Amino acid sequence: MELFLQQVLNGLTLGGVYSLVALGLTLVYGILHVPNFAHGAFYMAGAYSAFFLINRMGLNYWWGMAGAAVTVALISVLSERLVFHPLRKAPYLHHMIASIGILLFLEAGAQALWGADFHRMDTPYTQIVELGSLTLPAQRLLIIGAAFGLVVLLQLFLKKTVTGATIIAMAQNREGAALVGIDANRVAMLTFAIAGALAGMAAVLYAPINLVYTSMGHLVITKAFVIIVLGGMGSVPGAIVGGLIIGFAEAFGAFYISTDYKDIIAFALLVLILSVRPQGLFARGAH
Amino acid sequence: MKLVNARTGWSLLLLLALAFPFMAGNDYHLTVMSTAYIYAIATVGLNLITGYTGQFNLAHSGFMAVGAYTVGILTVDHGVPFWAAFALSGLVAAFIGFFVGLVSLRLKTHFFSIFTLCVGYIMFLLIEKWESLTHGTVGIVGIPAPESIGPLDFSEPRTQYYMVLFFLVASLWIMHRIVHSLLGRTFVAIRNGDELAQALGINLMRNKLLAFMLSVFFSGMAGGLYAGYVRFLGPGVAGVEHTFDMTMYMLVGGIGTLSGPLLGAIAVPWLTQYLQFLQEYRFVVFGPVLVLLVIFLPHGIVGTWLNRQRRKAALPATAPTPAPRLAAVPQEKGARHA
Amino acid sequence: MLEIESLSKRFGGLTAVNAVSASFARGTINAIIGPNGAGKTTFFNLVSGTIRPTSGRVLFDGRDVTGLRADQAARLGMARTFQTTALFDTATVLDNLIVGHRLRTRSTLVDVILGTNRLRDEERICREKARAALDFVGLSHLEARVAGDISQEERKRVAFALALSTDPTLLLLDEPAGGVNPEETDGLAQLIRKMAKSGLTVCLIEHKMDMIMNLADRILVLNYGEKIAEGTPAEIRANPAVIEAYLGTEHA
Amino acid sequence: QEVIKIGFSGPLSGGAALYGKNVLSGMQMAAAEINAKPLDIGGKKYKLEIVALDDKYNPSETGINVQRLVQQHKTAAVLVPHSGGIFAVQAFNEKSKVLLLAYTSLPQATERGNTLTVRIPPDFTGYIGPFTKAMMTRHGKNVALAAADHDYAKAWAAAFKPAWEAAGGKVVAENPMSYNKATDFYSGVSRVIQAKPDVLFIGGASEPTALVAKQARELGFKGGFIIIDQAKIDEMAKVVGGLGPLEGSVGVMPVSGDDRPEPAAFTARYRKANPGKDPSSEISLNYSAVHATVAAMKLAGTVSDAAAIRAKMDQAFKTLPPEHNPNDIEGLDAKGGTVANTIIGVVEGGKIKGQFLRALNAAK
Amino acid sequence: MLSLDRVSLSYGSFRALHDVSIHADDGELVVLLGSNGAGKSSIFLTMSGLNRASSGSIRFGAHELVGRKPSQIVADGLVHCPEGRKLFPGMSVLKNLTLGAYVHRSDSKGVKRTLDEVFELFPILHEKRESPAGSLSGGQQQMVAIGRALMGRPKALLLDEPSLGLAPLVVKQMFEIIARINKAGTTVLLAEQNAYAALNIASRAYVIEQGRIVMEGGRDELLNNPQVRKAYIGA
Ligand SMILES: Nc1ncnc2c1ncn2[C@@H]1O[C@H](COP(=O)(O)OP(=O)(O)OP(=O)(O)O)[C@@H](O)[C@H]1O
Ligand SMILES: Nc1ncnc2c1ncn2[C@@H]1O[C@H](COP(=O)(O)OP(=O)(O)OP(=O)(O)O)[C@@H](O)[C@H]1O
Ligand SMILES: CC(C)C[C@H](N)C(=O)O
Ligand SMILES: [Mg+2]
Ligand SMILES: [Mg+2]
């Protein structure tokens, strides 16, 4: 039983981080209609910024996270301005290749700045919480709490605020949004900023139990794509549910079946679900 | 008139390619070129499904790996002669492509892309994990060079070059036939609007499946050549980054054109060779170059040139030239809601 | 030649087409009218195989075609145009039309690779068909233009030609004169008449009453997915249910 | 004064960049030392240059790179630090007459009879017996396998398992994990811990290996780790926060922890040239390989004849001055693999205790 | 007062508008007639800032609109109800309408009031307020589009072919509603194919052909002009 609960916890940890990354991706997809392959590099950039702020500048963990969120938001907005905005009328293949260009640049840039070494990020939460026979590292609990807190905040922001509604409006009809007085550029930048900040925070949450290195984004980005397709591209609840599905599939797959095959399990799951529901779990039948 | 131009162009290119080993003078240049040709074959295949039919397949390098492993496994583990194994490489890829296509081609736009991204990843993982068949991460060592045919000994870089060139030319020739035929028009019709194409009596599934299988056939064949050329195989050949590379070749040259992907597949590897001096920092340069290219030459080199020609031919001299509308690439459907 | 038996389509809770029965005779022009959202386009989609009906049957030339895919229906001789005129915008007008006849050809990959005579003949036939269709709609001079660049009315005509190039016996036209000015509308009406004269059965959806009343042999009126009237223009014009639901008093 | 070049093709960008750069840094350190003194081969004066090309771990790019090194830079020797690239180069290196310095401990690299290959790291099979013995006596007979799933680690596990069982041990769980690609090891580690092993067999690149060890401790594992030689105990200690969590583990002795005079001097030199970094065996072994190659050139009196150089490599290693041979390589075996009396390290009381492999093997 | 002074517009190398000058006084209802592709929508798009004029000037009240962002123009009180509706298909009708009042978002009372007015104008929208806009029929969507434009409390309203694809009955209602909106004090610029109905409620009209204004006049003048009758009224 504990072992089962332990896996639940794991699933939540992974699912939480995946959801955060996938959320940004799905929001940007909503605006751009484009898979942003550079999103994984944003995640990586978040980890490096925080690493720099915490381990080199001596800021505390939370300031590091805030700094990372801001930095990545900035990088994200810059790529919107410099790359995706000029491409807004181009077909999606172009965005995709351009986003790979950004990815290559960021990864090589991080290596140029910080070298190829693996780095550890410090966190104040190193204790192990013992709950009955469950051992719960505090950082993992923090990840779960923070990730889902952020998700709820984002959902509230999108659903309850006018600014949030403008993001959705833009996603559904860019010109229509402009015609009611929504400043399209502002919303695009805002969306990119939010997506970047989420990726940055996800990285800072997760990095202390993993490592900081230039290709760390690869691990999450493919899964984030699986998640948003699974959940229905552009769908916020879809990204969350998809994140949890993949998180649990990995945790339970690795535990009960085999670590060797856990990735295959996650991808096979996607193949299976899409074969039955080609638009993903949460897509609206808008066509 | 135009046809003659195209034909002389191609003939000139062929002559250049034939003369290349004599001008290159060293094996390094031959190796770069031969490898580029191998990827060009796969790219030309990718272009059929992505550029002409509008379904962007991200599992393409997975199929290349299928072809390569067909040759690797058959020659190393079963003693099958290279050429016999090679003959199967494209077919095995197309065979697997049939099943993958059957499921994946029901999906559209990004869904298809991401689905195939996952399929490609599964292929990679299977190659890595299925050790009894693929030798897993250790890879397949000691793939024999293609057996000599008559006086042609394929362990020499120069003959290898001509061998690869031969298959490249054959691939281009077949591709040329396909895209300029009714069949090619059918594919393009699906790319340009599948609902309309279906209303015109075009069986979407059958045609997309055919394009998909043809496309991966080329990829598998390229994989077979790769196996005989590099003579070592690891799961890495299936890596999605190779599909991204090929997509980039297509885009740089001009997607949905015949010569564009070829041009890209040859030009980009040479460019990266020239950027080698930057070592690990070359992507700091290469990344932005890629972005600029996509922004300022969206139709690629060949595409931009062709578009200009086409407009010139289509419009009477006096009529105003309308704004360029995008050609040749699957258009984003999202904007069509409402 | 086209018999509809109690055709229905539900989208979730909404019944877009509700037990509609109708029959259309060969060589006639039939109009389908009704308020927005009445289910006209859905009705077309059901007949042409774009979507599957929830229940009911479609008989085409006595043959049950219910649930066939759109491409199969097209092969049997049904051609349609779309409410938002769909063309292959990036191709030239002629290239648009050449594909139109593809469904009547049999060349396969083998023909393509071997370059057989069959392929060559069929390509020639497709081209001839395309030219003939273009000539029929009076746009021969446009064949080299890129389809995305021509005017709205020309687009409508090319869409007709595209439908014609499939060698159909039944034409389904969804708002063929939508967004076209009165003068040009007359031209299109004449073209439709010409098509019917050549033996085609025409079904069209239109909101332009003047055009419909002059053009149609019979009119079918839908409202909330249900058939509320059917008859000659004169009958429809006088039908109180139609006046109330659709025409308003002015046109009566 | 002429230039001789030794080539390198390995990952300098992407996920394995660190590994490639470490290898390269060892080579460059050797080159700097060689150039500090006059270099005289066959009566001519030379300067040594390392030409490095990035291949992103991709075998076909290794092939292209090595061709380029041979054709454009006329290198008589190239060093490749990954098995895939090595196998790709072996398809043509004899024909192209280039000496392949293969940095991989996969036995196949030399098993297949390539006459121009030298395998730089010693065969790992020598570690198995002593590791087994050390851990079985200390912790118990139940081992769980949770090393990485790449070629090298799998080969290790495959050789280890029968040896452990032959020594009377039991393998209670087997769960190789993707150290490079997995986001999290928690589930995989809890899966093996569930089988209540006394010893955990782990290893891949140092940093993820450290994470695995750390998570095992977090999940309550109290036994010892057998750490395969790819992971370095000192590098792991940096990640897990000291040697504490690694208490009772066995692995190869890190160069920086080796207090014999030559390794210690080497470590000091390296630290001086690369502040803040410790030399791993990637660095020291390839450092020696470059020294040995140049020595072999001197012995053979040629800078271009690969076969002649290859013929003198054994002698070159044997005569390498101790300061150039921190790993104490004793020469080459018949197939071209290095032979060394490596020391293994056992973490005991917060320190790494070194023991000679050969002594341990003999005691068995 | 809304006026265009020698406005030109190009799409790439194609010149869609040539020195177009038109104006509408406050409270006027001005119609733009022209066949397909004449440039009516282009005029509107240029006014609302979605396209940028290559030369000329557009003045609205005290503002020069060329170079102004669409969002600012809406805030100025010039609202464009576009051809093709451009709704937010996945959002409810209510959300669509609320977003129409985006520039007045701080005035929630006022928004509520306008919303009630819109529902009064289009009762069906009240009934469908929770349905996604994309699931409505063409005519209903057109009503949402107009309603959404009204939510911006425009001083001047640009209506681009509001009757496109609508049933005759609805068209009739539509023109009545437009007339009512205009009577309530909103300046209306109306582009229409349905020239007769449009002219009937208009005060003045322009005829545009191939990007040029070719005729201008009062309602009756144009209604009685034989050329206009032949080309645009069809009787
Ligand atoms: N795919 C769909 N999913 C859900 N509802 C749909 C779908 N297609 C149509 N509907 C609904 O079915 C009803 C009929 O739509 P249809 O498009 O057939 O109307 P129409 O008569 O063609 O109207 P119009 O004259 O405005 O084009 C409408 O209420 C519409 O919202
Ligand atoms: N985005 C665009 N790119 C290129 N050309 C365009 C674009 N939009 C419009 N045009 C061209 O500009 C001209 C004027 O178009 P516009 O849409 O303004 O006409 P309109 O009078 O509104 O016609 P309609 O009655 O069909 O709506 C047409 O020739 C059209 O093809
Ligand atoms: C430990 C190393 C010698 C193994 C190396 N990673 C290889 O590819 O073989
Ligand atoms: Mg309709
Ligand atoms: Mg218009």
Side-chain angles (χ1 to χ4, degrees), chain D residues 280-293:
Chain D
S280 62
S281 49
E282 259 113 58
I283 292 169
S284 61
L285 283 169
N286 291 299
Y287 162 86
S288 297
V290 170
H291 271 300
T293 308

PDB file of all heavy atoms in Angstrom, chain D residues 280-293:
ATOM      1  N   SER D 280      39.128  13.659 -14.010  1.00  0.00           N
ATOM      2  CA  SER D 280      38.540  12.328 -13.900  1.00  0.00           C
ATOM      3  C   SER D 280      39.418  11.373 -14.695  1.00  0.00           C
ATOM      4  O   SER D 280      40.382  11.795 -15.334  1.00  0.00           O
ATOM      5  CB  SER D 280      37.127  12.358 -14.468  1.00  0.00           C
ATOM      6  OG  SER D 280      37.204  12.693 -15.828  1.00  0.00           O
ATOM      7  N   SER D 281      39.062  10.110 -14.677  1.00  0.00           N
ATOM      8  CA  SER D 281      39.895   9.180 -15.442  1.00  0.00           C
ATOM      9  C   SER D 281      39.725   9.413 -16.950  1.00  0.00           C
ATOM     10  O   SER D 281      40.600   9.072 -17.732  1.00  0.00           O
ATOM     11  CB  SER D 281      39.592   7.731 -15.076  1.00  0.00           C
ATOM     12  OG  SER D 281      38.223   7.503 -15.112  1.00  0.00           O
ATOM     13  N   GLU D 282      38.584  10.010 -17.387  1.00  0.00           N
ATOM     14  CA  GLU D 282      38.452  10.400 -18.794  1.00  0.00           C
ATOM     15  C   GLU D 282      39.618  11.303 -19.176  1.00  0.00           C
ATOM     16  O   GLU D 282      40.194  11.200 -20.246  1.00  0.00           O
ATOM     17  CB  GLU D 282      37.177  11.226 -19.007  1.00  0.00           C
ATOM     18  CG  GLU D 282      36.018  10.481 -19.592  1.00  0.00           C
ATOM     19  CD  GLU D 282      34.907  10.361 -18.578  1.00  0.00           C
ATOM     20  OE1 GLU D 282      34.417  11.400 -18.088  1.00  0.00           O
ATOM     21  OE2 GLU D 282      34.552   9.220 -18.263  1.00  0.00           O
ATOM     22  N   ILE D 283      39.909  12.189 -18.248  1.00  0.00           N
ATOM     23  CA  ILE D 283      40.947  13.168 -18.522  1.00  0.00           C
ATOM     24  C   ILE D 283      42.322  12.517 -18.441  1.00  0.00           C
ATOM     25  O   ILE D 283      43.145  12.623 -19.349  1.00  0.00           O
ATOM     26  CB  ILE D 283      40.817  14.342 -17.521  1.00  0.00           C
ATOM     27  CG1 ILE D 283      39.516  15.102 -17.823  1.00  0.00           C
ATOM     28  CG2 ILE D 283      42.036  15.256 -17.595  1.00  0.00           C
ATOM     29  CD1 ILE D 283      39.110  16.103 -16.773  1.00  0.00           C
ATOM     30  N   SER D 284      42.561  11.770 -17.374  1.00  0.00           N
ATOM     31  CA  SER D 284      43.907  11.233 -17.178  1.00  0.00           C
ATOM     32  C   SER D 284      44.244  10.163 -18.215  1.00  0.00           C
ATOM     33  O   SER D 284      45.368  10.117 -18.717  1.00  0.00           O
ATOM     34  CB  SER D 284      44.052  10.673 -15.763  1.00  0.00           C
ATOM     35  OG  SER D 284      43.126   9.634 -15.562  1.00  0.00           O
ATOM     36  N   LEU D 285      43.294   9.317 -18.536  1.00  0.00           N
ATOM     37  CA  LEU D 285      43.594   8.247 -19.487  1.00  0.00           C
ATOM     38  C   LEU D 285      43.896   8.806 -20.879  1.00  0.00           C
ATOM     39  O   LEU D 285      44.812   8.351 -21.566  1.00  0.00           O
ATOM     40  CB  LEU D 285      42.432   7.251 -19.562  1.00  0.00           C
ATOM     41  CG  LEU D 285      42.331   6.257 -18.399  1.00  0.00           C
ATOM     42  CD1 LEU D 285      40.999   5.516 -18.436  1.00  0.00           C
ATOM     43  CD2 LEU D 285      43.490   5.257 -18.448  1.00  0.00           C
ATOM     44  N   ASN D 286      43.137   9.785 -21.291  1.00  0.00           N
ATOM     45  CA  ASN D 286      43.365  10.322 -22.629  1.00  0.00           C
ATOM     46  C   ASN D 286      44.597  11.225 -22.674  1.00  0.00           C
ATOM     47  O   ASN D 286      45.251  11.361 -23.703  1.00  0.00           O
ATOM     48  CB  ASN D 286      42.120  11.045 -23.125  1.00  0.00           C
ATOM     49  CG  ASN D 286      41.002  10.064 -23.402  1.00  0.00           C
ATOM     50  OD1 ASN D 286      41.144   9.185 -24.249  1.00  0.00           O
ATOM     51  ND2 ASN D 286      39.914  10.157 -22.656  1.00  0.00           N
ATOM     52  N   TYR D 287      44.877  11.785 -21.516  1.00  0.00           N
ATOM     53  CA  TYR D 287      46.138  12.517 -21.351  1.00  0.00           C
ATOM     54  C   TYR D 287      47.302  11.565 -21.633  1.00  0.00           C
ATOM     55  O   TYR D 287      48.186  11.834 -22.451  1.00  0.00           O
ATOM     56  CB  TYR D 287      46.163  13.057 -19.925  1.00  0.00           C
ATOM     57  CG  TYR D 287      47.503  13.485 -19.378  1.00  0.00           C
ATOM     58  CD1 TYR D 287      47.983  14.766 -19.617  1.00  0.00           C
ATOM     59  CD2 TYR D 287      48.262  12.613 -18.601  1.00  0.00           C
ATOM     60  CE1 TYR D 287      49.206  15.157 -19.092  1.00  0.00           C
ATOM     61  CE2 TYR D 287      49.472  12.993 -18.075  1.00  0.00           C
ATOM     62  CZ  TYR D 287      49.954  14.271 -18.321  1.00  0.00           C
ATOM     63  OH  TYR D 287      51.149  14.666 -17.796  1.00  0.00           O
ATOM     64  N   SER D 288      47.241  10.410 -20.981  1.00  0.00           N
ATOM     65  CA  SER D 288      48.296   9.425 -21.186  1.00  0.00           C
ATOM     66  C   SER D 288      48.330   8.948 -22.626  1.00  0.00           C
ATOM     67  O   SER D 288      49.393   8.715 -23.191  1.00  0.00           O
ATOM     68  CB  SER D 288      48.089   8.220 -20.277  1.00  0.00           C
ATOM     69  OG  SER D 288      48.179   8.622 -18.944  1.00  0.00           O
ATOM     70  N   ALA D 289      47.157   8.788 -23.221  1.00  0.00           N
ATOM     71  CA  ALA D 289      47.093   8.271 -24.585  1.00  0.00           C
ATOM     72  C   ALA D 289      47.834   9.200 -25.541  1.00  0.00           C
ATOM     73  O   ALA D 289      48.543   8.734 -26.446  1.00  0.00           O
ATOM     74  CB  ALA D 289      45.640   8.116 -25.021  1.00  0.00           C
ATOM     75  N   VAL D 290      47.703  10.496 -25.341  1.00  0.00           N
ATOM     76  CA  VAL D 290      48.392  11.429 -26.229  1.00  0.00           C
ATOM     77  C   VAL D 290      49.901  11.362 -26.000  1.00  0.00           C
ATOM     78  O   VAL D 290      50.688  11.293 -26.947  1.00  0.00           O
ATOM     79  CB  VAL D 290      47.868  12.862 -26.028  1.00  0.00           C
ATOM     80  CG1 VAL D 290      48.742  13.867 -26.772  1.00  0.00           C
ATOM     81  CG2 VAL D 290      46.433  12.956 -26.509  1.00  0.00           C
ATOM     82  N   HIS D 291      50.268  11.329 -24.736  1.00  0.00           N
ATOM     83  CA  HIS D 291      51.702  11.184 -24.444  1.00  0.00           C
ATOM     84  C   HIS D 291      52.251   9.914 -25.072  1.00  0.00           C
ATOM     85  O   HIS D 291      53.325   9.912 -25.687  1.00  0.00           O
ATOM     86  CB  HIS D 291      51.928  11.157 -22.927  1.00  0.00           C
ATOM     87  CG  HIS D 291      52.139  12.521 -22.336  1.00  0.00           C
ATOM     88  ND1 HIS D 291      53.176  13.332 -22.733  1.00  0.00           N
ATOM     89  CD2 HIS D 291      51.442  13.222 -21.408  1.00  0.00           C
ATOM     90  CE1 HIS D 291      53.111  14.482 -22.054  1.00  0.00           C
ATOM     91  NE2 HIS D 291      52.056  14.441 -21.244  1.00  0.00           N
ATOM     92  N   ALA D 292      51.512   8.829 -24.923  1.00  0.00           N
ATOM     93  CA  ALA D 292      51.986   7.552 -25.449  1.00  0.00           C
ATOM     94  C   ALA D 292      52.085   7.594 -26.971  1.00  0.00           C
ATOM     95  O   ALA D 292      53.032   7.073 -27.565  1.00  0.00           O
ATOM     96  CB  ALA D 292      51.048   6.431 -25.007  1.00  0.00           C
ATOM     97  N   THR D 293      51.102   8.228 -27.602  1.00  0.00           N
ATOM     98  CA  THR D 293      51.121   8.286 -29.058  1.00  0.00           C
ATOM     99  C   THR D 293      52.344   9.051 -29.557  1.00  0.00           C
ATOM    100  O   THR D 293      53.030   8.620 -30.494  1.00  0.00           O
ATOM    101  CB  THR D 293      49.835   8.959 -29.581  1.00  0.00           C
ATOM    102  OG1 THR D 293      48.721   8.298 -28.999  1.00  0.00           O
ATOM    103  CG2 THR D 293      49.746   8.880 -31.077  1.00  0.00           C
TER     104      THR D 293
END
